[in-house]
Amino acid sequence: MIKVAKFGGSSVADAEQFKKVKGIVDADPDRRFVVVSASGRRFAQDNKVTDLLLLVNAHIEYHVDCTALLHEIERRYVDIKEALGLSFPVRERFDDFIDSIHAHSPEFVVSRGEWFTAQLMAEYLEKPFLDARDVIVFHHDGTVDLERTQLRIRDAVQRLGDFVMPGFYGSTVDGSIKLFQRGGGDISGAILARCIDANLYENWTDVSGFLSADPRVVDDPRTIHRITFDEMRELSYMGASVLQEDSIFPVREVGIPIQIKNTNLPEKRGTTISEVAKDGAREHLITGIAGKKDFLAVHVQKAHMSSKVGFVRRALSVFERYGVSVEHIPTGVDSFGVVVSAADVKDNIYAIVHDLQKELEPDSINVVDQLALISVVGRNMSRRAGTSGRVFGVLGEAGINIRMITQSSQEISIIMGVSNADFERAIRCIYDNFVDTEMVDMPRQATLA
Ligand code: ASP
């Protein structure tokens, strides 16, 4: 069994966190490959090293002296080194970095956070350091050259055996440093897991996994222990997020599961994300619930619309013209709605309605704003007749008016529109009635994704 263990910024924020990482890595010999982020926040008001380095770049751009800032970053690594009794020459390497800082690209500067963290971690874990610059290769269009990367990583495994690699960056074919987007250390870990055919990609962070609801809305929501990739996409799209979204694809495509674990509470089970869930288990009917406020629905009604070819397309092309992305299109026989984020149309809604009037000549158009969308996600719902009816039933009993309903095509989610004012109450109501309580037996041999 081979595991790639990726530790996020808070897991490597200081020497105490380094000790936890060592405890975790040493506890399981399968954790042979370690990827780290740059040191993150040690306490709520603290700064992430990556943010400080971005600030360094801003200083350089405007020709403002940033020596004090650079020494603040250096201090963080010196503190870790001294507390752990390591020998890596932090001061010397920092001096080199500062001396040559103007010769380097802004991306190089930002990448030093993960580089220093990984150097110290490699020494502390007694594993070789592998520079991501030498193995993660980007195409010129910014996507990763997986073939080349795989060859280089496999070669590194041959040469070094196990290793510690900095996340968040790689290099273009000509060798210059290139960064992933923010939070991209998760992507580096996923790419590494894929390239070495790992059995599991562990993502260590500061929460015990994916929560079944937003803790700001529901008190102490249950942690989701198993979730499919599709379910996770649905929940993250609606705002519940633990993992960099793009880190899913490299491992998903080759069937490697991801496990989210808490560095501060390693004994907790965490969340396992996989293509399919286990057969024959007893599982929750609803996996999780997420939502967002501030949408707007434009309802268009026209008699005999259903027989007019291209009617919906023409409506959508109006939204396209204004660069507005469409979230949902609930349809009736002679009407449909277009649900969009209110912020996306705030300057153009009158113009959009005007264009729709002109191009579609509908019987009526009305705009419903202050709409919140709630997505109830559960791979097991499709198997249970009447689930959606029961969800609507409890909302009705609570006096919550449902203003729109759609269902994802794979039937793993029900999306409901309620007014912004009912948002929190609706989520709590569904959570209390279903998410926390109801379990179903999974038939054997079920294919779920
Ligand atoms: N250090 C980078 C960031 O703060 C990447 C990461 O942590 O994954 O965005």
Side-chain angles (χ1 to χ4, degrees):
M1 178 102 159
I2 300 176
K3 294 180 185 173
V4 167
K6 188 263 163 177
F7 293 88
S10 60
S11 305
V12 291
D14 59 17
E16 285 315 302
Q17 294 301 90
F18 267 56
K19 288 182 191 163
K20 293 181 192 168
V21 169
K22 186 165 170 57
I24 291 164
V25 173
D26 288 353
D28 184 349
D30 294 339
R31 294 187 179 120
R32 293 178 42 199
F33 303 96
V34 174
V35 177
V36 289
S37 284
S39 300
R41 289 193 188 95
R42 294 159 291 182
F43 43 88
Q45 309 310 327
D46 198 18
N47 291 306
K48 296 179 178 183
V49 166
T50 304
D51 289 329
L52 296 176
L53 289 165
L54 287 164
L55 206 55
V56 166
N57 279 338
H59 280 71
I60 295 174
E61 188 182 348
Y62 292 102
H63 309 290
V64 181
D65 178 59
C66 59
T67 322
L69 188 54
L70 284 161
H71 287 305
E72 187 187 331
I73 303 169
E74 176 179 4
R75 183 78 244 161
R76 295 206 42 179
Y77 291 113
V78 170
D79 285 351
I80 295 173
K81 167 188 168 158
E82 288 176 353
L84 301 176
L86 302 175
S87 63
F88 181 75
V90 174
R91 285 217 164 83
E92 291 79 344
R93 291 291 169 274
F94 236 90
D95 286 346
D96 299 344
F97 171 48
I98 295 175
D99 288 346
S100 61
I101 203 156
H102 292 281
H104 290 298
S105 70
E107 300 207 45
F108 178 92
V109 170
V110 177
S111 73
R112 293 307 88 182
E114 337 308 270
W115 189 85
F116 276 101
T117 308
Q119 288 284 7
L120 290 172
M121 187 61 82
E123 183 186 345
Y124 188 46
L125 297 180
E126 297 174 55
K127 289 183 189 285
F129 168 85
L130 172 69
D131 198 344
R133 179 183 204 159
D134 300 331
V135 288
I136 306 268
V137 191
F138 284 88
H139 291 295
H140 283 294
D141 67 0
T143 57
V144 173
D145 182 339
L146 264 179
E147 261 169 52
R148 256 200 205 150
T149 301
Q150 181 157 45
L151 285 174
R152 293 190 184 188
I153 285 180
R154 292 198 167 167
D155 175 61
V157 174
Q158 292 282 321
R159 277 185 295 114
L160 305 173
D162 308 354
F163 52 74
V164 175
M165 184 182 91
F168 190 36
Y169 72 92
S171 64
T172 51
V173 215
D174 59 21
S176 41
I177 295 272
K178 175 134 190 65
L179 302 176
F180 288 104
Q181 64 262 54
R182 291 300 306 263
D186 289 347
I187 309 177
S188 311
I191 290 173
L192 176 60
R194 178 187 176 130
C195 290
I196 59 177
D197 288 330
N199 304 84
L200 183 66
Y201 171 33
E202 289 182 334
N203 196 286
W204 291 84
T205 176
D206 55 1
V207 292
S208 300
F210 232 89
L211 294 176
S212 51
D214 186 337
R216 288 165 301 186
V217 178
V218 170
D219 281 342
D220 197 17
R222 163 178 83 69
T223 301
I224 301 171
H225 292 312
R226 300 193 69 92
I227 187 169
T228 63
F229 285 111
D230 284 329
E231 287 177 307
M232 205 193 70
R233 288 273 300 158
E234 299 264 343
L235 286 174
S236 338
Y237 184 70
M238 288 303 259
S241 156
V242 178
L243 202 65
Q244 224 300 339
E245 278 264 316
D246 287 345
S247 63
I248 296 171
F249 302 108
V251 283
R252 179 176 186 171
E253 280 168 1
V254 291
I256 301 171
I258 306 176
Q259 192 169 30
I260 313 278
K261 294 277 286 177
N262 189 344
T263 302
N264 305 315
L265 293 167
E267 63 287 353
K268 293 261 182 205
R269 196 170 143 190
T271 301
T272 304
I273 313 159
S274 51
E275 196 60 40
V276 293
K278 256 202 210 123
D279 296 340
R282 197 160 163 66
E283 293 207 327
H284 285 274
L285 172 68
I286 288 171
T287 308
I289 169 167
K292 280 197 234 169
K293 284 184 178 177
D294 295 324
F295 289 90
L296 175 149
V298 180
H299 292 286
V300 178
Q301 213 252 325
K302 184 169 174 96
H304 308 297
M305 174 199 114
S306 54
S307 57
K308 293 193 170 48
V309 175
F311 194 76
V312 176
R313 181 191 51 73
R314 274 188 283 143
L316 294 182
S317 67
V318 171
F319 287 89
E320 189 179 347
R321 206 155 59 227
Y322 287 89
V324 176
S325 114
V326 171
E327 300 282 332
H328 295 287
I329 317 168
T331 51
V333 178
D334 280 340
S335 68
F336 64 90
V338 178
V339 180
V340 296
S341 133
D344 284 1
V345 292
K346 73 176 185 332
D347 299 326
N348 295 321
I349 188 65
Y350 292 108
I352 291 173
V353 170
H354 172 265
D355 289 5
L356 289 171
Q357 292 274 19
K358 214 169 86 192
E359 290 180 32
L360 305 177
E361 297 177 346
D363 299 337
S364 72
I365 293 189
N366 74 66
V367 176
V368 176
D369 66 350
Q370 305 274 321
L371 194 66
L373 295 183
I374 296 175
S375 179
V376 178
V377 177
R379 57 184 178 273
N380 298 321
M381 291 190 309
S382 61
R383 232 186 286 284
R384 271 289 158 114
T387 305
S388 38
R390 285 169 47 227
V391 171
F392 305 145
V394 296
L395 291 180
E397 275 163 35
I400 294 167
N401 186 14
I402 303 174
R403 315 183 68 178
M404 186 210 92
I405 299 164
T406 64
Q407 199 169 20
S408 72
S409 46
Q410 300 145 304
E411 286 184 76
I412 62 164
S413 69
I414 307 166
I415 296 142
M416 287 166 296
V418 300
S419 82
N420 274 347
D422 286 333
F423 179 71
E424 283 86 2
R425 213 156 56 85
I427 291 185
R428 276 185 222 116
C429 183
I430 301 168
Y431 183 87
D432 291 343
N433 280 282
F434 301 101
V435 185
D436 202 23
T437 47
E438 193 154 337
M439 305 280 283
V440 288
D441 287 315
M442 292 276 304
R444 294 224 156 257
Q445 306 277 311
T447 306
L448 296 164

